[in-house]
Amino acid sequence: DTEVTQTPKHLVMGMTNKKSLKCEQHMGHRAMYWYKQKAKKPPELMFVYSYEKLSINESVPSRFSPECPNSSLLNLHLHALQPEDSALYLCASRMDRGLFGELFFGEGSRLTVL
Amino acid sequence: AQKVTQAQTEISVVEKEDVTLDCVYETRDTTYYLFWYKQPPSGELVFLIRRNSFDEQNEISGRYSWNFQKSTSSFNFTITASQVVDSAVYFCALSEVNTPLVFGKGTRLSVIA
């Protein structure tokens, strides 16, 4: 069983909707990540939080808004998305951003934008 | 800039065959880590192995083995006696100091019964 939990597993939304993806880990990891993965492509990094502060934003459009309320939780708020934003959104955590530890991934939230 | 190349896009093998997935990387750093992840149809990325740049010993874990060769900048992954459950997309990845993980494009392995 994965130690990184993502909800919901599936989400369908219209372009005018506002929704959120949630991610939770209880491994004491201090770095958390959002990745976006299109079909048959590798995961692409979106955001990195280190000690609850945003440390990397890979030029992601503002319609994606991350939030890290505490060290165990990571949210991705979605607003005014486009159909091309449909993808698998993966959350991951790591003990510390600067270390070489492996990333632990959740099962992902599969998003469809109509 | 770091880069990971997985030249094999898709591989199909018959069950019980051995299969090797290739990974070639580029980096200017002397300290780095290499990873392999498995992504089954369920979507989750499952960690398989991590290897640091100072440890070139090959590793075996059950039916899985990894061959790390710095001379050719390769970190290949072999599955012995493949099984249908091995069918997945396999990603090789590279991490340098304070940089996010960089993934290769992945190799889709299909094991046919």
Side-chain angles (χ1 to χ4, degrees):
Chain A
D1 289 341
T2 180
E3 296 180 78
V4 177
T5 304
Q6 289 188 243
T7 56
K9 287 190 170 22
H10 299 275
L11 178 63
V12 179
M13 61 186 290
M15 290 190 285
T16 58
N17 292 159
K18 283 186 181 180
K19 297 286 184 183
S20 296
L21 305 180
K22 297 185 185 300
C23 175
E24 189 168 2
Q25 59 87 14
H26 294 288
M27 295 179 281
H29 290 176
R30 303 313 300 267
M32 296 185 76
Y33 302 71
W34 279 115
Y35 281 84
K36 173 182 177 179
Q37 187 179 26
K38 302 284 280 184
K40 298 188 177 183
K41 298 288 186 181
E44 295 178 354
L45 183 66
M46 299 176 72
F47 302 104
V48 180
Y49 272 83
S50 180
Y51 291 84
E52 296 144 58
K53 292 186 178 178
L54 184 64
S55 60
I56 295 178
N57 176 343
E58 291 288 338
S59 302
V60 179
S62 60
R63 56 186 184 268
F64 295 92
S65 175
E67 179 197 17
C68 189
N70 60 56
S71 60
S72 300
L73 295 174
L74 184 66
N75 298 322
L76 186 62
H77 302 299
L78 315 170
H79 175 52
L81 295 193
Q82 304 296 312
E84 59 263 30
D85 295 323
S86 298
L88 180 68
Y89 288 84
L90 292 158
C91 174
S93 70
R94 186 187 237 175
M95 188 187 308
D96 187 293
R97 184 176 79 89
L99 298 179
F100 290 102
E102 59 268 30
L103 284 174
F104 288 82
F105 284 87
E107 291 188 355
S109 293
R110 191 164 297 281
L111 173 67
T112 302
V113 182
L114 301 176
Chain B
Q2 56 190 98
K3 184 178 174 182
V4 178
T5 301
Q6 294 180 256
Q8 303 149 308
T9 305
E10 295 191 28
I11 301 176
S12 288
V13 298
V14 176
E15 204 170 21
K16 298 183 183 177
E17 285 185 352
D18 299 348
V19 59
T20 295
L21 309 182
D22 298 332
C23 174
V24 175
Y25 63 93
E26 294 177 30
T27 177
R28 293 180 183 174
D29 281 12
T30 55
T31 302
Y32 55 89
Y33 272 75
L34 295 161
F35 300 80
W36 275 96
Y37 282 86
K38 173 183 180 180
Q39 189 173 39
S42 61
E44 179 188 358
L45 277 156
V46 178
F47 166 78
L48 295 177
I49 190 171
R50 177 186 68 180
R51 173 67 70 208
N52 76 58
S53 53
F54 301 108
D55 182 3
E56 284 193 76
Q57 279 194 337
N58 292 331
E59 180 154 341
I60 298 174
S61 176
R63 295 184 298 106
Y64 295 170
S65 62
W66 291 269
N67 182 3
F68 176 29
Q69 292 195 348
K70 288 177 74 171
S71 60
T72 55
S73 296
S74 66
F75 186 43
N76 296 337
F77 173 31
T78 298
I79 302 174
T80 303
S82 59
Q83 299 176 3
V84 173
V85 294
D86 296 326
S87 297
V89 180
Y90 290 86
F91 291 98
C92 180
L94 169 68
S95 181
E96 298 169 333
V97 177
N98 284 331
T99 61
L101 210 57
V102 172
F103 289 90
K105 292 188 176 181
T107 298
R108 181 176 298 276
L109 174 66
S110 298
V111 181
I112 304 164

